[in-house]
Amino acid sequence: TAAGVPYTVPMKLAEGQTSVTLYYGTMEEFNAVEGVSAWYYNGTNKITNEAELRFLATLVNDKHIDFSGKVINLDNDIALTETWMPIGTVDHPFHGIFNGNGHTISGLKVEGAYANAGLFGVVEEGTVKQVNLRDGKISSTTEGANVGGIAGTVVGSVSDCAYAADMTVETPSLASDTSDAVAASIGGVVGVLGQRVDERTTIAGTISNCTNGVVSLKPGNTQTTLHVVTTGVGGLDRFG
């Protein structure tokens, strides 16, 4: 209808045809029937390949769909072929449940100035479970970055996950006479777990049955003062 006015679609049935299927929605939804976004628009919420997984990041980060109360299922192992954009930001976190169903995502490569870096950037009141990561590398050049294999920041829960890859936090190069310091919160699985609201209130997060890989820190120069907080299963392994 337009402005509440009923509209009749003229249709002449072909010989032998007894019914007509009408689609209601946007062109994006219509074109998604067989596309990478079909899992979202048809309501199955089952991800089977790289393009579909990337569309999840687009929905959360760009379209601001947080998936609160929804379960996203990973139905296949996925090998990533391009640099990854973490799912969820501070302004638009992931609120849903991501169930990896024991599958593996390989080749996760995050680089650039992400404040929260990992497969997920920020998970808030959400859950990531039963997903394994291997053969990847996560780095951030942002001062005070939160970096973890599964997620940079989790105010929710992570369970039954494994991160078997290298992680590097590259701090920005600072002038040798600077008094500024670079702080980083890093962990093999999660960079920051929980959130401090104020001096009296902290929202907790949980990690259970998870394992991590190797974490390293690469200062931008030898003059930089580094404050590192290691959290989220496994911490700093070496300085380089």
Side-chain angles (χ1 to χ4, degrees), residues 127-143:
T127 298
V128 180
K129 62 182 181 180
Q130 296 183 24
V131 61
N132 305 306
L133 302 177
R134 64 177 179 83
D135 301 333
K137 182 178 180 181
I138 302 174
S139 65
S140 176
T141 57
T142 295
E143 295 184 27

Side-chain angles (χ1 to χ4, degrees), residues 145-162:
N146 305 318
V147 182
I150 299 299
T153 297
V154 171
V155 187
S157 66
V158 175
S159 64
D160 302 297
C161 294

Side-chain angles (χ1 to χ4, degrees), residues 14-70:
E15 185 177 353
Q17 185 178 5
T18 59
S19 64
V20 175
T21 300
L22 297 179
Y23 288 91
Y24 176 81
T26 64
M27 284 301 297
E28 183 179 34
E29 292 170 328
F30 179 78
N31 293 330
V33 172
E34 298 296 337
V36 299
S37 55
W39 64 267
Y40 171 67
Y41 289 114
N42 64 23
T44 62
N45 288 346
K46 292 183 178 180
I47 292 176
T48 61
N49 57 49
E50 178 179 3
E52 292 176 346
L53 186 62
R54 289 185 182 279
F55 188 63
L56 173 60
T58 298
L59 288 172
V60 177
N61 298 359
D62 299 338
K63 296 184 179 295
H64 309 159
I65 297 170
D66 62 19
F67 289 94
S68 179
K70 304 293 185 181

